[in-house]
Amino acid sequence: MKRLEMAGFDGAVVFSPAPDGMLGPGKTGTPKERLEKLMTYVKGRDTLYPFYFLDPTDEDALEQVKLAKEAGVYGYKIICSHFYPWNPQAMEVYRWIAEQHMPLMFHSGILYDGINASGKYNRPCEFEPLLSVAGLRFSVAHVSWPWTGECIAVYGKFNAFLKRNPGGKAAELFLDLTPGTPPTFRKPVLTDVYGNGFDVEQTTFWGSDNVAEGYNWEYAKRIRERDEEIFKELRLSEKIKESIFCENFMRFMNNN
C-alpha cells in the first residue's frame, strides 16, 4: 500500500496467480490454492480488488468461478493463450459471469509468452462474438497493441450495438489503457482512442501492468506522469481524466 501511495494511487486490482502452464512452464497451484493466496493477500485492504485468474476451457471452469465468487472476488481475469475468446465452453462461463453482474478482464494484443504462438487468439475481432452475451461487462487490455486500430473499430461496433439495445441486452466493452504499447506508440494510440468520435469517455480506464509482490512504484509513477502529459496535450478535461483514473473502473465493477 505504501508503494501504491508513492506511485500516486490508493488502490489496485490484484490478480490471482495464473493457471498452471498458462504463461510458461511451472506449477502455480490448484485453483483452490491460487484463490486462497489471492484472498489472503488482499485481506483487510478495501482498495485492493481481487480478481480470479482462470482458464475458461478447464473442465471445472464453472465450478472455479462459482467458488471464487463465494470467496469474495470482485471479478475475473482471462488470457486466451491457447483458445479463441469465442470458445463454446468459455462462452458458457462468460454467460454465468454476466448473470452475476460481475466484470471480466481480458488480455488482448500480442502476448509475450515465449515460444507459444498465441497472437491469433488475441486479435480484437476475435472478441466480436461476445456481443451476444447479454449484460456482460468486459475489458480488453493494452488497446490490443499492435492491433490498436482494429481494437477501436471493434469498440465502435460494440458501442453502437449497445446504444441500440440498452437495458443489459448487449455486452459492454471497456478499453483498458494499460501500456502494452511501447513509448513511441503511446501518444498516437491515445490520440486515436480519444479522437475517433466514439463515446469513450465513460469506458476507458488506466492500468500499469505491474506486480503485487514487489510493486514497482517508480515505473508506475513514470508512466502515469507520461500519460498525464499526453492527456494534457490532447486537452482532455479534468473530469475525463478523473474518470480514466478512477470513476470508469468503479463503474466497470458496477460499484456506482
Side-chain angles (χ1 to χ4, degrees):
M1 295 305 294
K2 181 63 176 177
R3 286 171 178 263
L4 277 173
E5 182 181 348
M6 293 168 71
F9 303 105
D10 58 10
V13 171
V14 180
F15 299 141
S16 69
D20 280 353
M22 175 166 279
L23 299 179
K27 297 291 186 179
T28 54
T30 66
K32 183 178 180 180
E33 290 169 342
R34 294 187 294 107
L35 178 60
E36 288 177 348
K37 182 174 183 180
L38 171 67
M39 301 312 295
T40 299
Y41 191 88
V42 302
K43 186 176 181 179
R45 302 292 184 182
D46 292 341
T47 58
L48 292 183
Y49 304 105
F51 273 54
Y52 179 68
F53 198 156
L54 76 143
D55 181 340
T57 67
D58 282 346
E59 290 185 4
D60 64 344
L62 272 175
E63 287 73 18
Q64 289 184 43
V65 292
K66 291 175 181 178
L67 183 65
K69 183 190 178 188
E70 292 173 3
V73 302
Y74 278 78
Y76 302 91
K77 166 70 174 180
I78 291 175
I79 292 181
C80 300
S81 61
H82 62 92
F83 57 93
Y84 288 101
W86 44 262
N87 176 281
Q89 183 177 341
M91 292 287 281
E92 289 300 312
V93 175
Y94 310 155
R95 292 187 184 97
W96 184 88
I97 291 173
E99 290 169 359
Q100 313 310 307
H101 308 291
M102 297 174 75
L104 173 57
M105 301 183 77
F106 282 98
H107 168 83
S108 184
I110 202 72
L111 179 61
Y112 289 11
D113 57 348
I115 63 173
N116 187 31
S118 56
K120 63 183 179 180
Y121 302 119
N122 289 285
R123 291 200 64 150
C125 278
E126 300 299 343
F127 289 90
E128 285 188 71
L130 276 63
L131 265 173
S132 66
V133 184
L136 181 67
R137 297 189 314 282
F138 76 99
S139 64
V140 292
H142 317 301
V143 199
S144 304
W145 186 81
W147 302 295
T148 54
E150 182 177 311
C151 180
I152 292 168
V154 170
Y155 171 84
K157 179 174 182 175
F158 271 80
N159 189 244
F161 190 81
L162 185 66
K163 286 181 177 179
R164 294 196 300 269
N165 297 274
K169 296 180 181 179
E172 184 172 13
L173 171 58
F174 286 70
L175 295 180
D176 179 348
L177 302 179
T178 296
T181 44
T184 55
F185 289 82
R186 190 61 172 171
K187 184 177 178 181
V189 167
L190 292 176
T191 300
D192 288 343
V193 168
Y194 290 101
N196 58 48
F198 295 138
D199 181 15
V200 299
E201 287 78 7
Q202 303 302 315
T203 49
T204 49
F205 57 77
W206 197 85
S208 68
D209 209 11
N210 219 309
V211 294
E213 297 172 324
Y215 182 84
N216 188 339
W217 69 270
E218 293 174 309
Y219 166 75
K221 181 182 180 188
R222 182 172 68 252
I223 62 172
R224 174 181 61 79
E225 291 176 343
R226 178 200 63 191
D227 284 357
E228 286 178 334
E229 283 299 314
I230 296 173
F231 293 150
K232 184 177 180 180
E233 293 177 27
L234 295 177
R235 298 183 178 180
L236 299 188
S237 69
E238 290 301 316
K239 182 178 181 181
I240 291 176
K241 287 186 282 187
E242 288 175 6
S243 295
I244 293 169
F245 284 107
C246 180
E247 295 171 7
N248 291 347
F249 182 76
M250 299 308 289
R251 188 176 78 81
F252 175 67
M253 292 200 299
N254 205 25
N255 277 18
N256 61 12

